[in-house]
Amino acid sequence: MTEQYRSTSTARGRVTRRAAGVGLALLATAGVGVAGAGSAQAAEAHSGTPTCTTSGLTASFGQKLGGGMNHAGVVLKLTNTSGHSCALRGYAGLGLEDSQHRTLNSTAEWGSTWYAQDPGKETLRLDDGESAEAVVSWTHANTGTSEARDASYLQVTPPANTSHKTLEFPAWVDNGRLKVTAFSPHVELNG
C-alpha cells in the first residue's frame, strides 16, 4: 500500500495535507508533515525509548543515485545526535524549496522507489551516533519543462515530528513529485 501526503504553498503560508492508511484522518499542519505519529508514540509506550525528535537528529545525504529514463535519487540519512537512544518509525515528510527558501508545490509518495523496495514501517532503536536510511527518488525530463520544479532545498521532516531539517538540493523535479521509502538500518538498493 502506498501512503502519501501533499505539500502546497499559498501566499500566506503553507498547509500540508497527507492522506494516510485506514483509520487516519486528513491531517493539516504548518510544517511539511507528520509521519506516523501514532505509530511512533505506540512504539515509545512499548519500548520505553523516547521518539526521535527533529532537534536530536542530523539529516544528510549519502550515496547519490543515477539511472536511465530520467530517474535520479539519493540515500537520505537521519543520525541520532541527541545523546541518548531514541525510536524512529516510518517515513520522512518531504518538501521542496526554491533558492529563496520559498516552499514549492510538491508531493511525496511513500513506498518503493526506482532504486529500492520499500522495507515497510519498522520501529528502529537508534543509539546516540547511529543512523537510519531511506531512498528519495524523482524524475527530471528536462530543466525548464512545464510543471517541473527548480528546487534548491529539500525539507525533511522526521517521522512523528512537525518541524523539519533543510538540506541543499539543487535539482529539477518533474511535477514536484518525490518518492521515499521507510527508514531502515541500511537501504538495500535494487539490482
Side-chain angles (χ1 to χ4, degrees):
M1 173 187 254
T2 299
E3 299 178 59
Q4 67 180 9
Y5 77 92
R6 177 176 294 263
S7 176
T8 59
S9 174
T10 64
R12 292 189 177 159
R14 60 183 176 260
V15 177
T16 302
R17 299 185 314 250
R18 179 189 72 206
V22 176
L24 293 179
L26 183 63
L27 178 64
T29 66
V32 173
V34 179
S39 299
Q41 290 167 349
E44 178 180 341
H46 292 292
S47 70
T49 303
T51 300
C52 297
T53 63
T54 302
S55 63
L57 294 167
T58 300
S60 62
F61 290 130
Q63 182 180 353
K64 193 173 185 178
L65 307 169
M69 300 175 64
N70 299 322
H71 289 268
V74 67
V75 174
L76 174 64
K77 292 185 178 188
L78 289 181
T79 303
N80 179 4
T81 56
S82 67
H84 58 78
S85 296
C86 64
L88 186 73
R89 177 184 173 87
Y91 300 84
L94 300 175
L96 299 173
E97 294 180 359
D98 68 12
S99 62
Q100 303 300 310
H101 290 283
R102 293 178 299 227
T103 300
L104 299 170
N105 290 337
S106 61
T107 302
E109 294 178 10
W110 297 346
S112 296
T113 70
W114 174 264
Y115 302 100
Q117 294 299 312
D118 184 37
K121 289 182 181 181
E122 169 187 356
T123 302
L124 307 175
R125 179 189 164 106
L126 297 181
D127 291 329
D128 189 45
E130 287 187 324
S131 298
E133 298 178 341
V135 170
V136 178
S137 71
W138 62 97
T139 61
H140 56 93
N142 289 306
T143 57
T145 301
S146 175
E147 300 301 318
R149 306 294 186 272
D150 184 9
S152 294
Y153 300 96
L154 180 70
Q155 298 171 347
V156 178
T157 304
N161 284 267
T162 58
S163 59
H164 64 266
K165 300 285 186 178
T166 305
L167 297 172
E168 285 189 32
F169 186 74
W172 283 90
V173 180
D174 291 341
N175 299 305
R177 184 176 173 215
L178 302 163
K179 292 186 176 186
V180 64
T181 64
F183 281 102
S184 63
H186 176 72
V187 172
E188 293 295 327
L189 298 174
N190 295 335

